[in-house]
Amino acid sequence: MKFKVHCELEYQVYQPSTFIFNIHALRTATQTVLEEVLEVDPYIRFEEFTSVHSTNRFVRMEVKEPMMFKIAYKAVVDPAYTIIDHDSALAPVPVVQLDGDVIPYLFPSRYCQSDKLQRFAYSKFGKIENAFEQVLTITEWIHKNVEYLSGSTNSQTSAFDTITELAGVCRDFAHLGIALCRALSIPARYFTGYSYKLFPPDFHACFEAYIGGRWIIFDATKLAPLNGLIKIANGRDAADAAVASTFGNVACTSIKVGAETADPEFEPFMYEKSTLKGLSYE
Amino acid sequence: MKFKVHCELEYQVYQPSTFIFNIHALRTATQTVLEEVLEVDPYIRFEEFTSVHSTNRFVRMEVKEPMMFKIAYKAVVDPAYTIIDHDSALAPVPVVQLDGDVIPYLFPSRYCQSDKLQRFAYSKFGKIENAFEQVLTITEWIHKNVEYLSGSTNSQTSAFDTITELAGVCRDFAHLGIALCRALSIPARYFTGYSYKLFPPDFHACFEAYIGGRWIIFDATKLAPLNGLIKIANGRDAADAAVASTFGNVACTSIKVGAETADPEFEPFMYEKSTLKGLSYE
Amino acid sequence: MKFKVHCELEYQVYQPSTFIFNIHALRTATQTVLEEVLEVDPYIRFEEFTSVHSTNRFVRMEVKEPMMFKIAYKAVVDPAYTIIDHDSALAPVPVVQLDGDVIPYLFPSRYCQSDKLQRFAYSKFGKIENAFEQVLTITEWIHKNVEYLSGSTNSQTSAFDTITELAGVCRDFAHLGIALCRALSIPARYFTGYSYKLFPPDFHACFEAYIGGRWIIFDATKLAPLNGLIKIANGRDAADAAVASTFGNVACTSIKVGAETADPEFEPFMYEKSTLKGLSYE
Amino acid sequence: MKFKVHCELEYQVYQPSTFIFNIHALRTATQTVLEEVLEVDPYIRFEEFTSVHSTNRFVRMEVKEPMMFKIAYKAVVDPAYTIIDHDSALAPVPVVQLDGDVIPYLFPSRYCQSDKLQRFAYSKFGKIENAFEQVLTITEWIHKNVEYLSGSTNSQTSAFDTITELAGVCRDFAHLGIALCRALSIPARYFTGYSYKLFPPDFHACFEAYIGGRWIIFDATKLAPLNGLIKIANGRDAADAAVASTFGNVACTSIKVGAETADPEFEPFMYEKSTLKGLSYE
């Protein structure tokens, strides 16, 4: 299903600064970028780059003098997903069988201190045998216990805070989900993207857990359908996949984000405890 | 120069468990592994693997029943290094010119919360223009202010703790160095290895900062010569490069580590503030 | 009921140091100290003092040169307690009616960051109307979720750690109980004492919550009967009521503590959810 | 010297709530309240109370229904102070000679984790022999290293954060000063008050250290003259001396604070390193 996605970020630059943006829709075997355009107004030279560490598409630019500028991205993207409903396809993968590329997602990261959550995770979720049900129960627990509250957290808030303070935004919900999965030896990674029917419209963050040999999507906020996500980036946590990293003295003065579909047949898909169907963007 | 390195780890396994070891000397363009042997006693099947995220060499094994075992690694390794002494070769690399593969080492990680140390780093080290001198000053500051004290920290201790508590071991010294570099927009990564003339003998941890387009080695502990290091792994921090990650109920009962050279001409190399010569294992 | 209590602490003093001990049984309207003796061997001059902030009995001594010494306290104490079983007598006291002396126990302290636990406390325990039942549910929750594990924590561990890390000793159990009560606007204070039938024998810590106009005792460890406690001190938390505060370079080399009763009729009293009977040492 | 002080706080109350205010000028042997008036508009019954733990003057009121109200306090106050300039009068008091009432101010509290700052404090300030000079050096260090930045911190920020994050407001400056003093075994307490010539006008917070047998005032912000302070409260830290503690769902919509003197002879007094003169409000 095709989605039109777009964002526009506006910055006030006070001193020469460098920006790294991560707003392009990812190109993967299952996500096709049909059209896209990136505009910077007024024009500033920029370059796209990737890293050996990931397939995320970064844009970098240097702003050499104080000014105001806008960066806008528009694309038509066709992300394919699979619904997986066989029990065996949602089994945990023992650490000994994990692919080497997946193993780094077992370890703690800046905002996901899984090493400090082990007792909590085992006491609360350790007895659930089906891995998909286990992660689903984690997201239900987060959804029920953490209040979605704009402005309640900041860029330094981590899973160790959120698990007790119980308020946050999508980023915090994702970090907590990731940390709890890793504490149970389930690989988990951060996911940022455009999100259809997210209200209020914004960039979205959720997470993927590695179950049955695939990355399955989970969203503890339940703010948007799982089948309306257009992936921008994966990472260990928000440190790897910030929409914008800035080096210098700048202020973001406006953010506009949106996602639409022309397809009248979109049927929102959310998980239900009774059916145990997982959704994977692989 | 050739070094013989060896380690022997002994474990008591109480329940079926999985181990991931990272004790092999790394193979790089400048570090040649001439001979090596890995032994597990009693024999347990193991496999070597790497990850797309790094060149670190991991060994994984599943221990299916309670038992005691030893894993021993021996190798003859020839690590080459370069001494860089031209001022221009030790200049900072602006973010806008950094290679994509290096950029992830700018961001905060589990034990290196560079996002919380920016004011500190800028107020203390921000005015030093030469990047090599800047990082050298950071290591001197750590060396002078942090007491090397075995047992004073644990696996959860991070740079944000150490910068105030001022005690730790090599791992903590490295984490603090990394965090301060990143806070100044200098990429920095964790380095683990065997270390010649380290006393008491143990695995060693220090860090590399990206200066003048190369990774330059730094060691705030000053416990061993910089030219006697045999690299095992790089990573964002200790979460990426643990000597052993264990999944299950196990206890490490003994660790023996060593490094020797047969070469009588080894001349220890340490940094001096007066000369500004950097050492790179690239 | 009369108890014989005793303790003996041994210290190695490396440099001139000052000690403040808080090991005397408290004298209150309901706790009578029938006999007591304090011995320091070898003899060092000491003085007893109290503070306007509390009735705790402190002993202070200066050790002017390196040496080893023992301090031993023995007493026969008769603590009286009341069992309160009327519903009305266990009602919450609205903040507006609290006595001025009780109000400081509403506020956060070093190890009891009640300000960070408000959402948690309200979401989990906020709907219970009976104040005694509320605090009892808190202690049951702690007892069920936190593992009593010697050596798992240190003197810097606080309620904010314990609520997630879920392991600790009596001090940690008490701090978490206090923090959760205060988060619900129930005054709560730290209690240290000798404890009959505590195993292994040691000083004990638990807490009192202010309900129905009295301080009611609670012990989330459930390690000892509630009616076998001999109070040493109250405080906001362990910072106020440390058994020993030392200023200088010293090491505690031995601690022995005990409590016995000659009374054959001692019947251990523990709370039961079904009966809602509170025990107060006032 | 007489000062006119006044404040006006406005609240929106959404649900029945209880307020505890601490805005009255303290009455002490050296601070005389010549006139004062407290008004609540619309009128709500309130009561004044104190606590055995301090001489702070609290006002408590219950607002039984949603409404908006103002509380205004005006007073004419004559605080006397002493300038102490003999070296001997500014000597440290050994712990063994401290008055029992002063000892609680040696211990860590919610926002002043002196237990975690000992190495830092000793390494930086431990060698200064004169106690007054020591605390003055601490305040100079804070003043030089911590940026006064409105909005950079919140009510949960503590000295352990500020010592690394290096930004804050008067409350944070005071907490860090207190924590560093206590880490050096110098009793220190929080001080809130009205402040003449403070700009922008607001309640002020600073701290007192116990030197030479008196409480000497220190203010690391240097935002106002030390001889223009009218004391409202002392406490271990802000947890003890909040201007307003609220229990319920309320929002503070306006704060106005001021202090004036009719005396044309006011000469601002600030410390100078060269003279070592301390100012005490005792």
Side-chain angles (χ1 to χ4, degrees):
Chain A
M1 186 168 292
K2 292 182 202 167
F3 293 93
K4 282 191 187 175
V5 300
H6 54 91
C7 71
E8 187 188 274
L9 309 176
E10 193 179 71
Y11 285 89
Q12 176 70 56
V13 178
Y14 299 106
Q15 289 181 339
S17 298
T18 297
F19 291 78
I20 297 176
F21 292 104
N22 192 4
I23 55 181
H24 279 71
L26 203 56
R27 296 180 196 274
T28 71
T30 55
Q31 180 168 291
T32 310
V33 179
L34 300 164
E35 301 170 27
E36 67 177 359
V37 57
L38 183 75
E39 288 179 334
V40 181
D41 176 26
Y43 176 74
I44 299 163
R45 202 178 69 81
F46 58 87
E47 62 165 335
E48 247 199 81
F49 70 97
T50 59
S51 148
V52 74
H53 303 275
S54 73
T55 55
N56 300 347
R57 299 171 64 198
F58 297 98
V59 162
R60 175 166 52 185
M61 49 195 279
E62 192 180 6
V63 182
K64 295 182 179 173
E65 52 198 40
M67 64 183 298
M68 206 144 187
F69 78 94
K70 287 183 191 175
I71 182 168
Y73 175 76
K74 284 184 195 174
V76 178
V77 187
D78 186 355
Y81 58 84
T82 312
I83 303 284
I84 298 137
D85 60 356
H86 298 289
D87 261 23
S88 64
L90 294 170
V93 183
V95 171
V96 77
Q97 290 168 23
L98 284 175
D99 191 76
D101 297 350
V102 171
I103 283 178
Y105 297 106
L106 279 176
F107 299 131
S109 58
R110 171 66 182 90
Y111 303 108
C112 304
Q113 304 97 326
S114 45
D115 52 318
K116 299 179 98 167
L117 305 189
Q118 294 210 350
R119 279 170 188 281
F120 184 96
Y122 273 98
S123 75
K124 209 135 211 135
F125 310 109
K127 284 180 188 153
I128 303 169
E129 288 189 14
N130 181 292
F132 179 76
E133 198 179 337
Q134 205 172 25
V135 183
L136 197 57
T137 308
I138 286 171
T139 58
E140 291 291 331
W141 184 89
I142 295 171
H143 182 75
K144 193 182 151 204
N145 287 280
V146 182
E147 184 177 354
Y148 192 95
L149 194 60
S150 294
S152 59
T153 53
N154 61 35
S155 68
Q156 297 185 356
T157 304
S158 68
F160 188 70
D161 301 313
T162 305
I163 202 169
T164 298
E165 300 184 1
L166 298 176
V169 297
C170 60
R171 162 194 170 108
D172 305 301
F173 281 62
H175 285 156
L176 184 48
I178 292 166
L180 288 169
C181 286
R182 291 183 191 162
L184 294 164
S185 300
I186 299 171
R189 67 188 190 186
Y190 195 68
F191 174 113
T192 62
Y194 296 93
S195 175
Y196 180 52
K197 286 184 179 266
L198 178 67
F199 186 82
D202 201 345
F203 292 106
H204 197 40
C206 52
F207 72 103
E208 292 177 315
Y210 195 75
I211 299 173
R214 287 171 188 253
W215 289 105
I216 309 289
I217 194 92
F218 291 91
D219 181 357
T221 71
K222 295 193 188 181
L223 286 177
L226 292 169
N227 58 338
L229 294 166
I230 298 90
K231 187 183 292 195
I232 293 173
N234 280 125
R236 309 250 189 120
D237 61 25
D240 275 358
V243 162
S245 302
T246 57
F247 302 84
N249 188 357
V250 307
C252 181
T253 51
S254 163
I255 296 182
K256 293 176 195 156
V257 188
E260 291 93 38
T261 186
D263 195 326
E265 289 173 32
F266 181 83
E267 288 183 32
F269 179 88
M270 305 285 270
Y271 291 145
E272 290 165 43
K273 277 220 109 175
S274 52
T275 53
L276 298 188
K277 289 186 184 181
L279 188 154
S280 174
Y281 280 102
E282 289 188 317
Chain B
M1 187 166 293
K2 292 181 202 169
F3 293 93
K4 281 191 188 177
V5 302
H6 55 90
C7 71
E8 187 189 275
L9 309 176
E10 193 179 73
Y11 285 89
Q12 177 70 56
V13 178
Y14 299 105
Q15 289 181 340
S17 298
T18 297
F19 290 78
I20 297 176
F21 292 103
N22 192 5
I23 55 180
H24 279 70
L26 203 56
R27 296 179 195 274
T28 71
T30 55
Q31 180 167 293
T32 309
V33 178
L34 300 164
E35 302 169 28
E36 68 176 358
V37 57
L38 184 75
E39 287 179 336
V40 182
D41 176 26
Y43 177 74
I44 300 163
R45 202 178 69 81
F46 59 86
E47 63 164 336
E48 245 200 81
F49 70 96
T50 60
S51 148
V52 74
H53 302 275
S54 72
T55 55
N56 300 346
R57 298 170 66 196
F58 296 98
V59 161
R60 176 166 52 186
M61 49 194 281
E62 192 180 6
V63 182
K64 295 182 180 172
E65 52 199 39
M67 65 183 298
M68 206 143 187
F69 77 93
K70 286 183 192 174
I71 182 168
Y73 175 76
K74 285 183 195 176
V76 178
V77 187
D78 185 355
Y81 58 84
T82 313
I83 303 284
I84 298 137
D85 60 356
H86 296 290
D87 261 23
S88 63
L90 293 170
V93 183
V95 172
V96 77
Q97 290 168 23
L98 285 175
D99 191 76
D101 297 349
V102 171
I103 283 178
Y105 298 106
L106 280 176
F107 299 129
S109 59
R110 171 66 182 91
Y111 303 108
C112 305
Q113 303 98 327
S114 46
D115 52 319
K116 300 179 97 167
L117 305 188
Q118 295 210 350
R119 278 172 188 280
F120 184 96
Y122 274 99
S123 74
K124 207 135 213 136
F125 311 108
K127 284 179 188 152
I128 304 169
E129 287 190 14
N130 180 290
F132 179 76
E133 198 179 337
Q134 204 172 25
V135 183
L136 197 57
T137 308
I138 287 171
T139 57
E140 291 291 331
W141 183 88
I142 296 171
H143 182 75
K144 192 181 152 206
N145 287 281
V146 182
E147 183 177 355
Y148 192 96
L149 193 59
S150 294
S152 60
T153 53
N154 62 34
S155 67
Q156 297 185 356
T157 304
S158 68
F160 188 71
D161 301 313
T162 304
I163 202 170
T164 298
E165 300 184 0
L166 298 177
V169 297
C170 60
R171 161 194 170 107
D172 305 301
F173 280 62
H175 285 155
L176 183 49
I178 292 166
L180 288 168
C181 286
R182 292 183 191 162
L184 294 165
S185 300
I186 298 171
R189 66 186 189 188
Y190 194 69
F191 175 113
T192 61
Y194 296 92
S195 175
Y196 179 52
K197 285 185 180 267
L198 179 67
F199 186 82
D202 201 344
F203 292 107
H204 197 40
C206 52
F207 72 102
E208 292 177 316
Y210 195 75
I211 299 174
R214 286 170 190 252
W215 288 105
I216 309 290
I217 194 92
F218 291 91
D219 181 357
T221 70
K222 296 194 188 181
L223 286 177
L226 292 168
N227 58 337
L229 295 165
I230 298 91
K231 188 184 291 196
I232 293 173
N234 281 125
R236 308 251 189 120
D237 60 26
D240 275 0
V243 162
S245 301
T246 57
F247 301 84
N249 188 356
V250 308
C252 181
T253 51
S254 162
I255 296 182
K256 293 176 194 155
V257 187
E260 290 94 38
T261 186
D263 195 325
E265 290 172 31
F266 181 84
E267 287 184 32
F269 179 87
M270 306 286 269
Y271 291 146
E272 289 164 46
K273 277 220 109 176
S274 52
T275 53
L276 298 189
K277 289 186 184 182
L279 188 155
S280 173
Y281 280 102
E282 288 188 319
Chain C
M1 185 167 292
K2 291 181 200 168
F3 293 92
K4 281 190 187 177
V5 300
H6 54 90
C7 70
E8 186 188 276
L9 309 177
E10 192 179 73
Y11 285 89
Q12 177 70 53
V13 178
Y14 299 104
Q15 289 181 339
S17 299
T18 298
F19 291 78
I20 298 176
F21 292 104
N22 191 5
I23 55 179
H24 279 71
L26 204 56
R27 298 178 194 274
T28 71
T30 56
Q31 179 168 292
T32 310
V33 178
L34 299 163
E35 303 170 25
E36 67 177 359
V37 57
L38 184 75
E39 286 180 336
V40 182
D41 176 27
Y43 177 73
I44 299 162
R45 202 179 68 81
F46 58 85
E47 64 165 333
E48 247 200 80
F49 70 95
T50 58
S51 148
V52 73
H53 303 273
S54 74
T55 54
N56 299 347
R57 299 170 65 197
F58 296 97
V59 161
R60 177 165 50 186
M61 51 195 277
E62 192 181 6
V63 181
K64 295 181 181 173
E65 53 198 41
M67 65 182 297
M68 205 142 188
F69 78 92
K70 287 183 192 177
I71 182 166
Y73 174 76
K74 285 184 195 176
V76 178
V77 187
D78 186 355
Y81 59 84
T82 313
I83 304 285
I84 298 137
D85 61 355
H86 296 291
D87 262 22
S88 64
L90 294 170
V93 183
V95 172
V96 76
Q97 289 168 26
L98 284 175
D99 192 76
D101 297 350
V102 170
I103 282 178
Y105 297 106
L106 279 176
F107 299 129
S109 58
R110 171 67 182 91
Y111 302 108
C112 304
Q113 304 98 326
S114 47
D115 51 319
K116 298 180 98 168
L117 305 189
Q118 294 208 351
R119 279 172 186 278
F120 184 96
Y122 273 98
S123 75
K124 206 132 212 139
F125 310 110
K127 284 179 188 153
I128 303 168
E129 288 189 13
N130 180 292
F132 179 77
E133 198 179 337
Q134 205 172 25
V135 183
L136 197 57
T137 307
I138 287 171
T139 58
E140 292 291 332
W141 184 89
I142 296 171
H143 182 76
K144 193 181 150 206
N145 287 281
V146 182
E147 184 177 353
Y148 192 96
L149 193 61
S150 294
S152 59
T153 53
N154 61 35
S155 67
Q156 297 185 357
T157 304
S158 68
F160 189 70
D161 301 312
T162 304
I163 202 169
T164 298
E165 300 184 359
L166 298 175
V169 297
C170 60
R171 160 194 170 108
D172 305 301
F173 280 63
H175 285 156
L176 183 49
I178 292 166
L180 288 168
C181 286
R182 291 183 192 162
L184 295 164
S185 300
I186 299 172
R189 67 187 188 188
Y190 195 70
F191 175 112
T192 62
Y194 297 93
S195 174
Y196 179 52
K197 285 183 180 266
L198 178 67
F199 185 82
D202 201 344
F203 291 106
H204 198 39
C206 51
F207 73 102
E208 293 177 315
Y210 195 75
I211 299 172
R214 286 171 190 252
W215 289 104
I216 308 289
I217 193 93
F218 291 91
D219 181 357
T221 71
K222 295 194 188 180
L223 287 177
L226 293 168
N227 58 338
L229 295 166
I230 299 89
K231 187 184 292 197
I232 293 173
N234 280 125
R236 308 251 189 121
D237 60 27
D240 276 359
V243 163
S245 301
T246 57
F247 302 85
N249 189 357
V250 307
C252 181
T253 50
S254 163
I255 297 183
K256 293 176 195 157
V257 187
E260 291 93 38
T261 186
D263 195 324
E265 289 174 32
F266 181 82
E267 288 184 31
F269 179 87
M270 306 285 269
Y271 291 146
E272 289 164 43
K273 277 221 108 175
S274 53
T275 52
L276 298 190
K277 290 185 182 181
L279 187 154
S280 173
Y281 280 103
E282 288 189 317
Chain D
M1 185 168 293
K2 290 182 202 169
F3 293 93
K4 282 190 187 177
V5 300
H6 54 91
C7 70
E8 187 188 275
L9 309 176
E10 192 179 72
Y11 285 89
Q12 176 70 54
V13 178
Y14 300 104
Q15 289 181 339
S17 299
T18 297
F19 291 77
I20 298 176
F21 293 103
N22 191 5
I23 54 180
H24 279 71
L26 203 57
R27 296 179 195 274
T28 70
T30 55
Q31 180 167 291
T32 309
V33 179
L34 300 164
E35 302 170 27
E36 67 176 359
V37 57
L38 184 75
E39 286 178 335
V40 182
D41 175 27
Y43 177 74
I44 300 162
R45 202 179 68 82
F46 60 85
E47 62 164 335
E48 245 201 82
F49 70 94
T50 59
S51 149
V52 73
H53 302 275
S54 73
T55 54
N56 300 347
R57 298 170 64 196
F58 296 98
V59 161
R60 177 163 51 186
M61 49 195 281
E62 193 180 7
V63 181
K64 295 182 180 172
E65 53 198 38
M67 65 182 296
M68 206 141 186
F69 78 92
K70 286 183 192 175
I71 182 167
Y73 175 76
K74 285 183 195 176
V76 177
V77 186
D78 186 355
Y81 59 83
T82 313
I83 303 285
I84 298 137
D85 61 356
H86 297 291
D87 261 21
S88 64
L90 293 170
V93 183
V95 172
V96 76
Q97 290 168 24
L98 285 175
D99 192 75
D101 297 350
V102 171
I103 283 179
Y105 297 106
L106 280 176
F107 299 130
S109 59
R110 172 65 183 92
Y111 302 108
C112 305
Q113 303 98 326
S114 46
D115 52 320
K116 298 179 98 167
L117 305 189
Q118 294 209 351
R119 279 172 186 280
F120 184 96
Y122 273 99
S123 75
K124 207 131 212 139
F125 310 109
K127 284 179 188 153
I128 303 168
E129 287 189 14
N130 180 291
F132 179 76
E133 198 179 337
Q134 205 171 26
V135 183
L136 197 57
T137 307
I138 288 172
T139 59
E140 291 291 332
W141 184 90
I142 296 171
H143 182 74
K144 192 182 152 206
N145 287 281
V146 182
E147 184 177 354
Y148 192 95
L149 193 60
S150 295
S152 60
T153 54
N154 61 34
S155 67
Q156 296 185 357
T157 304
S158 68
F160 188 71
D161 301 313
T162 304
I163 202 169
T164 298
E165 301 184 359
L166 298 176
V169 297
C170 60
R171 160 195 170 109
D172 304 303
F173 280 62
H175 285 156
L176 183 48
I178 292 166
L180 288 169
C181 287
R182 291 182 192 163
L184 294 165
S185 299
I186 300 171
R189 67 187 189 187
Y190 194 70
F191 174 112
T192 62
Y194 296 93
S195 174
Y196 179 51
K197 287 184 179 266
L198 179 67
F199 185 80
D202 201 344
F203 291 106
H204 197 40
C206 51
F207 73 101
E208 293 176 317
Y210 195 75
I211 299 172
R214 286 171 189 252
W215 289 104
I216 308 289
I217 194 92
F218 291 91
D219 181 358
T221 71
K222 296 194 187 179
L223 287 177
L226 293 168
N227 58 338
L229 295 166
I230 299 90
K231 188 183 291 196
I232 294 174
N234 281 125
R236 308 248 190 124
D237 61 26
D240 275 0
V243 162
S245 302
T246 57
F247 302 85
N249 189 356
V250 308
C252 180
T253 50
S254 164
I255 297 183
K256 292 176 195 158
V257 187
E260 290 94 39
T261 185
D263 194 324
E265 290 173 32
F266 181 82
E267 288 184 31
F269 178 89
M270 306 285 270
Y271 291 146
E272 289 164 44
K273 277 221 109 176
S274 53
T275 51
L276 298 189
K277 290 185 183 181
L279 188 155
S280 174
Y281 280 102
E282 289 189 316

